[in-house]
Amino acid sequence: MNNAAPAPVRTRGRPRGNPPTRESIVSAARSLFLERGYRRTTVRAVAGAAGVDPALIAYHFGSKKGLFADVMQFQCAQALTVDDVLDGDRATLPDRLIDAVTDLWEDADFRRLTVQGDEAAEVIREYLEQELLARLVEFLGGQDATARATAVVTILGGLIYTRYLNPLPTPAALTPAEARLTLAPALRAALAPRPRTAATTRAGHRGPPASDRGLVRS
């Protein structure tokens, strides 16, 4: 009589027990994206490098595009940790924001990832909009929080574009410290609360100015 237990059946889809972590898959994918580029990296190759079934990648990330987004988001989060940037003296927040951006973009591997087509550009836009801008709005609070956060992200986006993505000679020649000295005053002004003038208050309560109302009637 054979009392041996049957061999376990390998299942696809959602893993059971203690599967490899998402981090191990992201790490393997990052290496392949850097080595081969986005288009030449396949889900099957990432699964082989991570030692997992390709179905596990589909389960966690949905697609290669989703996996690449996680790699980019992980890179952003490692260098531009919003909680760490926002924590501390508000007077030095502009310096921390600029340092976080330059620390991230001075990394050669990260820049290699950012030039891998529309997928990279989309992730960067989503990170700036959904993570940095949204968190800044929450952090600043008040009726003008969105305007102030938008001004900050616009300045930082300009730094990224003119220094790294489509470098202009003058911004690109600055050291990170010089970039901080140059842009910190603009960020400080963007972060400052906007004074509510009497005219603004009246406009908010009484509708558009008389000249505009006249245009509407005509």
Side-chain angles (χ1 to χ4, degrees), residues 196-209:
R196 290 180 60 80
T197 64
T200 302
T201 303
R202 287 196 301 271
H205 288 288
R206 299 181 183 178

Side-chain angles (χ1 to χ4, degrees), residues 41-48 54-55 57-58 63-65 67:
T41 297
T42 65
V43 168
R44 187 170 296 279
V46 174
I57 295 178
S63 64
K64 183 173 77 169
K65 183 177 179 180
L67 176 58

Side-chain angles (χ1 to χ4, degrees), residues 66-150:
L67 176 58
F68 182 74
D70 260 54
V71 171
M72 291 286 292
Q73 292 276 7
F74 178 77
Q75 288 288 113
C76 289
Q78 285 288 94
L80 211 166
T81 305
V82 177
D83 287 337
D84 292 344
V85 172
L86 297 181
D87 186 29
D89 186 355
R90 286 205 175 202
T92 57
L93 177 57
D95 298 325
R96 294 196 301 275
L97 284 166
I98 295 170
D99 285 345
V101 169
T102 54
D103 285 349
L104 174 64
W105 284 83
E106 291 295 320
D107 182 83
D109 285 346
F110 179 74
R111 289 213 302 276
R112 285 170 59 195
L113 290 172
T114 63
V115 298
Q116 298 191 24
D118 293 340
E119 292 80 11
E122 182 178 342
V123 173
I124 294 168
R125 285 194 300 268
E126 288 179 356
Y127 191 85
L128 290 174
E129 174 76 20
Q130 298 175 9
E131 181 67 12
L132 184 57
L133 191 147
R135 294 294 304 281
L136 273 172
V137 170
E138 180 182 358
F139 173 78
L140 294 171
Q143 294 183 342
D144 61 356
T146 298
R148 292 157 67 192
T150 299

Side-chain angles (χ1 to χ4, degrees), residues 21-40:
T21 62
R22 287 173 60 97
E23 289 76 11
S24 66
I25 298 173
V26 168
S27 178
R30 178 181 179 275
S31 297
L32 287 176
F33 285 134
L34 287 170
E35 177 187 343
R36 304 179 182 181
Y38 177 81
R39 300 195 183 283
R40 293 176 56 212

